[in-house]
């Protein structure tokens, strides 16, 4: 589905050139659940923007569904984003002045589809938010907003969903619920590409790509061993029962 | 369908910021309402004046004091006399001649009195203007010749002073001088530039010599035999008057000659000047209105940078973003235009009904023009903000804080 060869993206910052992405080779098959992880500035978001057809590479080849992306016009890229790609962002990026339903309708309008209301309601139902359809984003909780964003991403039945830190602004319980939705979508055959810097989120995927300084550091299958490692690490940092964050240590002297 | 949805999207965007949208369009509202009300006043005045000209009859020639070469600051030296009128009567292409003088004064009948216009003229006045008496009779040649103190009352004057009772034969005082009422005129309204219902007609001789001590007449109305000989009659009138006034060949006339057609042509010239002046003011106010819209649209684009990023991410092309913002600008502007038209019509209506002097008329063309101009302003002021929105880099836009 996705094949990139020596993909680079350089930015000019004053007199110096920042190599946000530096010669990346990668292949992702349809139906995979991939997480891309790495520290801030490692190039994971840049990679996602390029793979999501939001940006064009400085050099290298990108083949999406057998088509060379650099040869496509802006209009063709917009059509690909509209029909085959769904985006979910950390900050939800909903249009605040309109209802949840209207937010979900937007991709259908640009896709020039008929009967947008019914399709948007169906997408909201899939994320369990049908009864909140008339509410504005400001009247919804963080988790609900992210579910509206997911409904917007899936309303055109895309083949692939790019999620950029989708749990970053949510508490862990809500975050787990959101990840559950991604698992359901994946089970239905949708390719999921999850960009995150949280390892416990990253190991939810089948495959993990670790990036550093614009290059792929590691590309491996997520197995039970890696999950066990993560849980052990998590355990080490977990505080003992009763020693809450807010408790005041006893003073001596 | 797509276009309609984009329109709805734009309208929702505007409704979300209703106050700001209204403030953005304030310039257009004021501009358009000013244009519509001014056009209504201009057109109303134009029609009113035309109606007055047309009430005078197309076969009339108006001869007035003044020179065509006169500088605007020089005073008019009156040159027309009663003798001129007598001389004009002998012209072959002329059927009637009515010299006129007028003054404003008081008329009194016992305790009742009112301000009126006194018109001094001859028996020909009624004939030329096809103006008939309701009661009694109009001035006779004999009354004019003998400087009789008789008067003919306009419809309103008779009603004010005598109500339902008969006026003929009663004695009234005009300018503190006793006059006998010999006739009452029919209801006519406006004749030329006079409200003849509020007028009292007396023999010109009486008015000039006994009442006001005048030596010159103010105007001579001449009726040509028919419209076809109007030009020839004008030449005859000019020749006769030049002869009377002893003007040598090559010198300018010391009088002015007008016909209804010439008045109309002059009016058209004046109207043209006013239209240009009003058009310029309208143009300036619409430019100001356009700047207001552009300003708000630029703020809107900056404020909605992230939204634009999302829209591009979910499949909008640069062109759709451009169209969407352009439609928003146009809706603001056309909405402003519509409100402006409404306000202009209300203002024109208010002027006509509450001042009682101004006549207004709103031509349909001025409404279409206002709407077209509002749309053009919307498009012109929306192009740059919409272009900026359409050129946003989606990655940058999504990161915008």
């Amino acid at each position: 589905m996705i094949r990139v060869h020596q993909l680079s993206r350089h930015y000019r910052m004053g007199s110096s050139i920042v190599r946000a992405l530096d010669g990346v080779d990668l292949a992702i098959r349809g139906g995979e659940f991939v997480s891309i992880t790495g520290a801030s500035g490692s190039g994971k978001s840049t990679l996602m923007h390029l793979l999501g057809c939001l940006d064009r590479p400085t050099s290298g080849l990108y083949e999406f569904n057998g088509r060379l992306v650099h040869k496509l016009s802006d209009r063709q890229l917009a059509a690909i984003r509209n029909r085959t790609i769904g985006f979910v962002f950390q900050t939800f990026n909903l249009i605040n002045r309109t209802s949840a339903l209207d937010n979900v309708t937007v991709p259908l309008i640009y896709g020039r589809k008929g009967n947008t209301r019914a399709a948007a309601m169906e997408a909201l139902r899939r994320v369990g938010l049908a009864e909140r359809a008339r509410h504005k984003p400001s009247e919804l909780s963080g988790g609900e907003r992210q579910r509206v964003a997911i409904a917007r991403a899936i309303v055109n039945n895309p083949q692939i969903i790019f999620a950029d830190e989708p749990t970053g602004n949510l508490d862990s319980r809500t975050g787990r619920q959101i990840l559950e939705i991604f698992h359901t979508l994946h089970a239905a055959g949708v390719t999921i590409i999850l960009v995150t810097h949280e390892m416990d989120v990253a190991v939810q995927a089948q495959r993990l790509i670790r990036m550093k300084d614009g290059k792929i550091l590691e590309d491996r299958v997520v197995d039970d061993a890696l999950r066990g490692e993560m849980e052990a690490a998590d355990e080490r940092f977990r505080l003992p029962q009763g020693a809450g964050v807010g408790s005041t240590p006893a003073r001596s002297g | 369908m797509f276009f309609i949805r984009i329109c709805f999207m734009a309208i929702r965007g505007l409704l979300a910021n209703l106050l700001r949208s209204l403030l953005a369009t304030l310039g257009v509202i004021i501009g358009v309402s000013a244009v519509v009300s001014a056009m209504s006043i201009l057109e109303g005045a134009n029609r009113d004046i035309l109606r007055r000209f047309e009430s005078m009859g197309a076969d009339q020639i108006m001869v007035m004091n003044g020179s065509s070469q006169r500088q605007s600051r020089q005073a008019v030296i009156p040159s027309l006399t009663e003798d001129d009128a007598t001389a004009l009567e002998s012209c072959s292409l002329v059927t009637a001649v009515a010299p006129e003088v007028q003054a404003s004064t008081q008329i009194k009948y016992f305790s009742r009195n009112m301000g009126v216009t006194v018109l001094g003229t001859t028996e020909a006045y009624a004939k030329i203007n096809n103006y008939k008496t309701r009661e009694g009779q109009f001035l006779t040649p004999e009354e004019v010749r003998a400087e009789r103190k008789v008067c003919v009352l306009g419809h309103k004057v008779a009603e004010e002073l005598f109500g339902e009772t008969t006026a003929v034969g009663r004695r009234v005082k005009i300018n503190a001088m006793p006059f006998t009422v010999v006739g009452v005129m029919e209801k006519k309204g406006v004749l030329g530039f006079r409200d003849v219902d509020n007028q009292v007609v007396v023999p010109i001789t009486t008015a000039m010599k006994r009442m006001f001590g005048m030596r010159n007449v103010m105007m001579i109305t001449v009726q040509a035999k028919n419209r076809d000989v109007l030009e020839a009659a004008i030449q005859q009138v000019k020749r006769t008057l030049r002869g009377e006034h002893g003007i040598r060949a090559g010198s300018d006339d010391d009088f002015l000659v007008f016909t209804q057609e010439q008045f109309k042509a002059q009016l058209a010239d004046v109207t043209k000047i006013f239209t240009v002046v009003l058009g310029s003011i309208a143009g300036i106010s619409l430019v100001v209105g356009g700047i207001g819209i552009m300003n708000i649209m630029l703020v809107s684009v900056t404020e909605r940078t992230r939204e634009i990023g999302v829209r591009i991410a979910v499949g909008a092309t640069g062109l759709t973003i451009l169209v969407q913002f352009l439609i928003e600008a146009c809706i603001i502007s056309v909405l402003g235009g519509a409100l402006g038209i409404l306000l202009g019509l209300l203002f024109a209506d208010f002027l006509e009904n509450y001042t009682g002097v101004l006549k207004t008329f709103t031509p349909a063309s001025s409404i279409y023009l206002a709407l077209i101009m509002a749309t053009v302003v919307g498009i012109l002021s929306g192009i740059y903000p919409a272009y900026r929105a359409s050129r946003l880099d989606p990655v940058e836009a999504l990161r915008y804080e």
Side-chain angles (χ1 to χ4, degrees):
Chain A
M1 184 175 207
I2 285 177
R3 270 170 37 149
V4 299
H5 178 65
Q6 286 299 304
L7 199 68
S8 296
R9 181 71 171 96
H10 301 166
Y11 296 100
R12 185 175 287 278
M13 277 229 175
S15 56
S16 62
I17 289 175
V18 178
R19 297 171 194 277
L21 209 62
D22 198 7
V24 167
D25 288 308
L26 181 68
I28 294 170
R29 289 187 309 279
E32 275 196 280
F33 191 155
V34 183
S35 58
I36 302 172
T37 186
S40 140
S42 60
K44 55 187 193 302
S45 289
T46 305
L47 180 61
M48 191 201 87
H49 291 143
L50 286 171
L51 297 182
C53 299
L54 282 172
D55 199 4
R56 288 174 186 273
T58 312
S59 65
L61 290 181
Y62 174 25
E63 195 183 309
F64 183 84
N65 274 346
R67 298 166 84 184
L68 282 170
V69 168
H70 71 270
K71 287 190 174 168
L72 300 177
S73 66
D74 284 347
R75 200 188 170 85
Q76 286 170 315
L77 289 180
I80 288 177
R81 286 196 301 271
N82 183 253
R83 286 176 208 143
T84 38
I85 296 175
F87 287 98
V88 178
F89 304 97
Q90 179 177 1
T91 49
F92 326 127
N93 284 345
L94 298 176
I95 300 167
N96 286 323
R97 55 174 190 274
T98 59
S99 68
L101 187 69
D102 285 333
N103 267 284
V104 180
T105 313
V106 173
L108 295 166
I109 293 174
Y110 291 127
R112 305 184 187 215
K113 299 249 172 79
N115 204 9
T116 52
R117 294 259 135 182
M121 271 312 279
E122 171 60 18
L124 280 171
R125 198 190 53 71
R126 280 170 74 187
V127 297
L129 221 57
E131 72 282 2
R132 312 277 281 168
R134 305 275 166 206
H135 291 255
K136 287 189 174 170
S138 57
E139 297 158 355
L140 301 173
S141 70
E144 286 172 328
R145 285 185 218 181
Q146 194 59 300
R147 280 194 273 166
V148 174
I150 295 173
R152 182 178 65 193
I154 62 172
V155 72
N156 269 335
N157 294 314
Q159 295 171 13
I160 186 164
I161 289 178
F162 290 95
D164 189 2
E165 307 276 10
T167 59
N169 276 15
L170 304 173
D171 62 69
S172 58
R173 200 172 68 88
T174 318
R176 275 199 298 279
Q177 288 171 353
I178 295 298
L179 286 172
E180 209 44 58
I181 298 173
F182 285 124
H183 279 296
T184 313
L185 290 170
H186 176 233
V190 181
T191 310
I192 312 279
I193 295 179
L194 188 69
V195 174
T196 179
H197 68 275
E198 295 171 87
M199 276 310 282
D200 57 336
V201 174
V203 295
Q204 298 273 334
Q206 294 172 327
R207 181 178 163 192
L208 186 140
I209 294 169
R210 228 149 42 131
M211 297 193 65
K212 194 179 178 188
D213 300 334
K215 291 183 195 300
I216 291 179
L217 201 66
E218 187 185 13
D219 183 353
R220 59 171 290 183
V221 173
V222 178
D223 50 18
D224 290 342
L226 183 64
R227 287 200 187 98
E229 243 175 69
M230 280 309 306
E231 272 167 30
D234 208 22
E235 206 61 39
R236 274 204 299 280
F237 289 110
R238 193 163 290 165
L239 293 166
Q241 288 283 318
V245 177
S247 65
T248 320
R251 286 190 184 192
S252 57
Chain B
M1 192 62 194
F2 175 66
F3 191 73
I4 294 169
R5 279 181 176 162
I6 292 272
C7 283
F8 272 118
M9 228 190 254
I11 290 171
R12 260 189 233 135
L14 294 174
L15 287 179
N17 263 318
L18 192 62
L19 181 67
R20 193 163 78 180
S21 308
L22 280 176
L23 285 176
T25 193
L26 201 60
V28 176
I29 294 178
I30 293 171
V32 166
S33 63
V35 174
V36 170
S37 48
M39 290 274 270
S40 303
I41 294 167
L42 183 66
E43 187 63 24
N46 203 11
R47 282 175 181 239
D48 188 42
I49 295 169
L50 269 182
R51 193 170 52 85
R52 286 162 190 259
F53 283 149
E54 272 157 11
S55 72
M56 294 192 301
D59 55 358
Q60 291 183 15
I61 301 163
M62 262 72 64
V63 185
M64 294 182 193
N65 288 310
S67 159
S68 57
Q69 297 303 311
R70 184 174 67 92
Q71 298 293 309
S72 59
R73 287 191 181 184
Q74 285 177 342
V76 176
I77 302 162
S79 59
L80 301 171
T81 60
E82 274 188 273
D83 293 342
D84 292 338
T86 315
L88 289 173
E89 275 168 9
S90 57
C91 290
S92 60
L93 295 172
V94 167
T95 53
V97 178
E100 294 173 16
V101 293
Q102 79 169 58
S104 291
T105 184
Q106 291 277 320
I107 183 166
K108 197 172 173 191
Y109 177 68
F110 291 104
S111 62
R112 293 182 190 177
N113 75 73
M114 66 186 290
V116 290
T117 305
V118 170
L119 174 72
T121 186
T122 64
E123 68 286 351
Y125 176 79
K127 178 183 173 270
I128 290 175
N129 292 303
N130 194 25
Y131 190 24
K132 295 187 175 64
T133 51
R134 187 187 76 192
E135 203 184 318
Q137 58 174 12
F138 198 69
L139 304 176
T140 60
E142 165 56 25
E143 282 162 350
V144 174
R145 199 166 36 245
E147 299 170 25
R148 289 270 168 76
K149 290 197 277 185
V150 293
C151 66
V152 183
L153 305 181
H155 169 80
K156 204 156 79 189
V157 180
E159 258 187 10
E160 285 272 325
L161 295 183
F162 301 101
E164 294 296 304
T165 58
T166 179
V168 175
R170 312 246 188 190
R171 286 175 75 79
V172 293
K173 281 191 172 172
I174 304 172
N175 215 11
M177 200 179 274
F179 277 78
T180 305
V181 178
V182 291
V184 175
M185 301 308 289
E186 62 179 350
K187 192 173 179 181
K188 186 92 173 179
V190 169
L191 200 60
F193 286 87
R194 288 196 202 100
D195 173 11
V196 290
D197 289 344
N198 201 31
Q199 173 182 272
V200 175
V201 184
V202 300
I204 189 165
T205 45
T206 316
M208 287 176 73
K209 289 166 195 157
R210 304 180 77 156
M211 292 176 81
F212 307 118
M214 294 169 171
R215 283 167 55 198
N216 293 90
V217 304
M218 291 175 175
M219 187 173 120
I220 302 171
T221 306
V222 180
Q223 188 173 37
K225 268 194 169 150
N226 56 57
R227 286 186 67 169
D228 300 333
V229 297
L230 194 65
E231 265 312 308
I234 290 171
Q235 294 313 319
Q236 210 173 41
V237 165
K238 281 187 176 177
R239 261 199 317 277
T240 309
L241 287 177
R242 285 177 72 91
E244 283 291 307
H245 295 184
I247 298 169
R248 274 172 293 174
S251 301
D252 296 321
D253 294 344
D254 59 357
F255 54 87
L256 296 167
V257 176
F258 289 105
T259 61
Q260 192 196 76
E261 285 305 314
Q262 282 170 323
F263 273 130
K264 279 189 189 173
Q266 281 206 339
L267 181 69
D269 283 348
V270 174
T271 309
K272 212 178 280 171
I273 292 167
F274 271 107
T275 310
V276 169
V277 171
L278 282 177
S280 316
I281 294 169
I284 292 166
S285 62
L286 283 173
V287 166
V288 173
I291 291 170
I293 290 176
M294 191 190 278
N295 211 349
I296 294 288
M297 288 306 294
L298 281 173
V299 170
S300 177
V301 169
T302 309
E303 206 178 68
R304 287 156 68 185
T305 301
R306 235 168 206 275
E307 179 193 321
I308 295 164
V310 173
R311 287 181 186 277
I312 296 173
V314 301
T317 58
L319 185 68
T320 25
I321 298 286
L322 183 104
V323 170
Q324 189 178 333
F325 276 87
L326 215 49
I327 288 173
E328 278 191 26
C330 280
I331 289 175
I332 290 184
S333 192
V334 171
L335 193 81
L339 284 175
I341 288 169
L342 202 70
L343 210 66
L345 288 175
L346 285 175
F347 187 61
D349 196 50
F350 170 81
L351 284 181
E352 174 154 349
N353 290 327
Y354 291 90
T355 62
V357 188
L358 280 170
K359 292 260 185 292
T360 62
F361 180 84
T362 313
S365 61
S366 74
I367 289 177
Y368 299 141
L369 189 75
L371 276 180
I372 290 169
M373 281 176 81
T375 312
V376 171
V377 165
I379 292 172
L380 289 181
S381 57
I383 281 178
Y384 178 62
Y387 174 76
R388 270 204 10 188
S390 72
R391 299 297 296 169
L392 280 178
D393 173 13
V395 174
E396 290 292 319
L398 284 167
R399 279 197 196 125
Y400 186 81
E401 293 290 336

